[in-house]
Structure formats: structure tokens, C-alpha cells
Amino acid sequence: QVHLVESGGGLVQAGGSLRLACAASGRDLSSYAMGWFRQAPGKDREFIAATRWIGSSVWEGDVMKGRFTISRDNAANMVFLHLTNLEPEDTAVYYCAAKRVLPTASSSWNYWGQGSQVTVSS
């Protein structure tokens, strides 16, 4: 069981920045990949980026567009999503997720946080 709690969302003006944080707890965290997704009103949930606790692998979705960065703090079991140069179109609920990758990869993301609202005003 993995428990995920997001924080750091809020209201920001276009062009501004935010840092989202995901606190992970549970057993065998190193067996999981950690990802960020977002879902805007009326739209499907979309993949932003993912990383693993071990190594330097990072997977990026199209939405990254060079404006977002994923990072982690292994000692604190925290994963971050740095959002820069935000646009009103980035308004969405941002979710942290965990997917088991060891010993075998899960076909879907296993655990989700409650989500953090990001609202970008024009």
C-alpha cells in the first residue's frame, strides 16, 4: 500500500510559477515509479512526467513543453513538479501517482493522491 498526498497548488497569474509536492509513504517505495498527471474540466486526464526513486530515468509527456520539471528527494520520500511560465490552459487538478515497476511492471498506475488544484488567471 502506498499513500500519496499532494500540496502546493493554488491561484497564480499567467507567467507565474508553482512547485507541487507529493509526499509518498508506504512499503517498498523503491519498487514504484512516481508520476504526475493533470485533469482539466471536461478533459481526459493527461500524463505529465514520471521518474523512479532509483537511477535518473525520467519520462516526459507532451504537456511538459520545456516548462515543467519533475524532481525528487529520496531522503524525504517526496516528488516535485516545478511549473513555470504558467498559462490559463494549465488550469487543472494535478495528481501524483505511483506505479509498481518491480519485480514486474504494473499495466496501470496503482495509487493516486487526492489531487491539487492549480488555477492560472490571465
Side-chain angles (χ1 to χ4, degrees), residues 1-3 25-32 100:
Q1 184 79 13
V2 175
H3 187 56
S25 60
R27 296 181 58 185
D28 300 326
L29 287 179
S30 60
S31 299
Y32 290 84
R100 180 171 283 279

Side-chain angles (χ1 to χ4, degrees), residues 48-114:
I48 301 174
T51 186
R52 290 185 59 181
W53 297 106
I54 301 172
S56 58
S57 297
V58 173
W59 297 268
E60 297 184 350
D62 293 338
V63 72
M64 290 285 278
K65 298 178 182 178
R67 296 184 295 123
F68 302 165
T69 305
I70 188 171
S71 66
R72 68 180 194 266
D73 181 341
N74 286 33
N77 291 339
M78 300 282 291
V79 180
F80 303 98
L81 186 65
H82 307 261
L83 311 174
T84 64
N85 195 19
L86 284 161
E87 303 168 351
E89 293 72 24
D90 296 316
T91 295
V93 179
Y94 285 71
Y95 295 92
C96 177
K99 179 180 179 180
R100 180 171 283 279
V101 293
L102 293 173
T104 57
S106 173
S107 59
S108 61
W109 292 83
N110 306 99
Y111 300 99
W112 295 84
Q114 82 286 355

Side-chain angles (χ1 to χ4, degrees), residues 6-10 20-21 36 92-96 113-119:
E6 300 99 334
S7 60
L20 303 181
W36 284 98
V93 179
Y94 285 71
Y95 295 92
C96 177
Q114 82 286 355
S116 183
Q117 177 71 46
V118 171
T119 302

